[in-house]
Amino acid sequence: MALKEGRCYNCGSILMLDPQQEKGHCIYCDAVFDNKLAFEIATNPQGYEFKNEKMEKYTGPNLDPTSQTGAIDEDALHAAIDHNAAKRALKQQDSVGKPNLSEESIPELKASKKAVLITILGIVIFFGLFFAIAIPKINHREEVRKQLTANFIDAEKLPLTYGENLLIRGGANDTVVMAFKEKPEEDTVRSYWETYAQERAKLLDLEGDAKYKGLEMEVISADGGYLLTWTPENKLSVEPIQ
């Protein structure tokens, strides 16, 4: 199931939705909406007015796409298959006059069935906790990335478009790739580095050298480019690349 980014029409929260589902549910304000509308708003959230109205608690069918993965543990599945195979073998022994072994005499098979249920329950709990923690973090990271992109482009008046010739990656938005038609001057590239580091530090509350550590910027063009990194000696390294 490939999830797609959408926006809640009421509070504006970023949500990961299933394009194949008709309806979606906002976990932040309890609004229920058409996924098609959420996808349309996500393409231009600045052009949409979010009313932030108080919604009644949603008690309808589960609309969370992350809870509909249908994941099954392979070990548990194999255990169930082995259990059924053993039962068939016992029936075959009865049919040819061999000793009749009841299920009660083979406790490990009953334990296997119990293990299947415990394993599946564990998987459900694990994925529930995982998505409860991961999705808000992903949403926050995407919000920061969009704001950071806008601030960086405005500050340097860059003729770039995010997703085409400007990419920002990494869990801390610490990897930047920019593509230009012509190779910029090194002083210009150093200015890009400093501006991006400053804008990123504002959004992530970074101070001192922490705003540079781990940051990497690659500037490319048909004539070559630069790779900018922060060295262990707390200095900016600018290396030409071809």
Side-chain angles (χ1 to χ4, degrees):
M1 175 182 64
L3 301 184
K4 181 180 178 181
E5 181 182 300
R7 284 272 190 145
C8 172
Y9 80 94
N10 182 52
C11 69
S13 296
I14 295 178
L15 303 168
M16 303 309 293
L17 304 170
D18 184 354
Q20 297 182 0
Q21 287 185 232
E22 180 180 354
K23 295 288 185 178
H25 170 231
C26 179
I27 61 177
Y28 302 102
C29 72
D30 261 333
V32 177
F33 46 79
D34 290 335
N35 282 350
K36 182 178 179 181
L37 173 62
F39 297 141
E40 291 177 356
I41 296 174
T43 62
N44 183 28
Q46 291 79 12
Y48 188 86
E49 181 180 353
F50 301 102
K51 297 182 179 180
N52 287 305
E53 297 178 343
K54 185 176 181 180
M55 297 289 172
E56 294 183 2
K57 183 173 180 59
Y58 177 68
T59 58
N62 184 11
L63 299 177
D64 181 4
T66 62
S67 67
Q68 302 175 21
T69 60
I72 297 178
D73 183 83
E74 290 189 2
D75 291 338
L77 182 59
H78 290 162
I81 293 173
D82 291 342
H83 175 59
N84 291 332
K87 289 177 67 175
R88 287 195 298 271
L90 289 175
K91 290 182 179 179
Q92 290 175 356
Q93 287 179 349
D94 289 341
S95 65
V96 295
K98 292 187 177 181
N100 183 12
L101 299 178
S102 65
E103 281 195 4
E104 288 76 9
S105 66
I106 311 177
E108 62 272 18
L109 294 182
K110 283 186 174 292
S112 177
K113 182 184 293 185
K114 183 178 180 180
V116 172
L117 297 176
I118 293 175
T119 302
I120 293 177
L121 179 60
I123 291 173
V124 172
I125 294 175
F126 170 78
F127 278 103
L129 292 174
F130 172 79
F131 285 114
I133 296 173
I135 289 181
K137 287 186 176 181
I138 292 173
N139 290 341
H140 175 70
R141 184 189 65 189
E142 293 302 318
E143 283 285 358
V144 170
R145 182 168 296 176
K146 288 182 178 181
Q147 188 63 52
L148 177 57
T149 300
N151 293 351
F152 177 47
I153 290 177
D154 290 344
E156 285 290 344
K157 308 299 180 185
L158 292 170
L160 302 178
T161 301
Y162 183 75
E164 296 181 6
N165 42 26
L166 171 62
L167 295 176
I168 299 176
R169 301 194 299 262
N173 296 311
D174 50 9
T175 302
V176 187
V177 180
M178 296 187 291
F180 295 89
K181 293 182 179 179
E182 298 181 357
K183 181 180 178 181
E185 297 293 333
E186 182 174 327
D187 289 343
T188 301
V189 173
R190 288 177 177 271
S191 175
Y192 293 159
W193 164 277
E194 183 63 31
T195 298
Y196 184 84
Q198 294 288 352
E199 296 297 335
R200 175 171 166 266
K202 292 177 185 177
L203 292 174
L204 299 182
D205 295 325
L206 302 176
E207 298 181 356
D209 290 339
K211 62 186 176 184
Y212 302 116
K213 290 182 178 179
L215 185 58
E216 180 178 299
M217 177 177 289
E218 186 175 354
V219 179
I220 59 177
S221 72
D223 303 322
Y226 306 90
L227 177 63
L228 293 80
T229 56
W230 192 249
T231 68
E233 295 76 26
N234 293 328
K235 294 182 180 179
L236 173 61
S237 170
V238 182
E239 299 181 7
I241 55 177
Q242 299 298 326

